[in-house]
Amino acid sequence: MNAPENRVLIQPISAAGFAPFGDLLQATGQPDKIINQGLCGRYHDLAQMDFSDGRAGLSLFNAEPRALPMPLQMMERHPEGSQAFIPMSEHGFLVIVAPDAGGRPGRPLAFETQPGQVVNFHRGTWHGVLTPLQAPGLFAVVDRIGAGANLQEHWFETPFVVARS
């Protein structure tokens, strides 16, 4: 069994808690604009999409749900562009991030989103893979499409264990 120092406890996500790693998007409060003949509220320009070159692309990802407790063996980052995970179901999902510690991830943090919340990882943010906790695990993903490598992976010698508190 893994030592307590290797356990990462899941916490609820908040805009302030997630801010060092990216943007938390959700349709709360009054919309910025009312459009479509007064029948639609627009929450405008909520994410800092950032690409060094190339262009924004929209892809669909269909991820298998994960069970908790979950080993965290690897984290990744995208040095050339931000990446947004947009769930296409009414379920929250697990978001794992870490500060940079000299070119590798520091101690991970784990957040659980609520239904309807979207995350956008800032360019270069260490994060876990797309992690739904229940099916379906269908997501729209907005990220950089362009030439050159935009993926760095770090594999931990000793995996962390992500669990509920």
Side-chain angles (χ1 to χ4, degrees):
M1 183 166 167
N2 287 51
E5 62 270 11
N6 282 347
R7 291 182 66 82
V8 177
L9 298 180
I10 300 168
Q11 56 189 302
I13 198 165
S14 69
F18 191 67
F21 309 103
D23 309 303
L24 176 64
L25 292 68
Q26 55 191 349
T28 59
Q30 293 297 312
D32 299 295
K33 300 176 184 181
I34 303 297
I35 60 173
N36 297 342
Q37 300 161 324
L39 299 175
C40 181
R42 178 175 176 156
Y43 297 82
H44 185 69
D45 198 22
L46 299 177
Q48 297 176 7
M49 304 306 295
D50 178 20
F51 307 108
S52 62
D53 60 8
R55 61 179 176 80
L58 178 64
S59 304
L60 297 180
F61 288 27
N62 193 6
E64 295 289 325
R66 306 290 179 102
L68 296 173
M70 181 190 87
L72 175 63
Q73 300 169 306
M74 184 270 293
M75 294 187 80
E76 64 184 38
R77 68 177 174 178
H78 308 284
E80 302 299 326
S82 55
Q83 185 178 52
F85 291 170
I86 307 164
M88 297 176 66
S89 70
E90 290 296 319
H91 305 293
F93 59 102
L94 185 62
V95 177
I96 301 169
V97 292
D100 184 69
R104 59 185 199 84
R107 178 155 182 83
L109 299 168
F111 297 100
E112 187 170 0
T113 68
Q114 294 298 309
Q117 292 180 319
V118 171
V119 297
N120 176 56
F121 299 110
H122 290 164
R123 182 180 0 168
T125 295
W126 288 107
H127 64 88
V129 298
L130 189 55
T131 310
L133 296 174
Q134 51 190 317
L138 186 61
F139 291 77
V141 176
V142 178
D143 60 359
R144 176 188 169 271
I145 306 296
N150 188 30
L151 174 64
Q152 295 174 346
E153 293 180 342
H154 177 83
W155 291 81
F156 296 109
E157 286 183 30
T158 302
F160 287 90
V161 176
V162 179
R164 294 198 190 280
S165 55

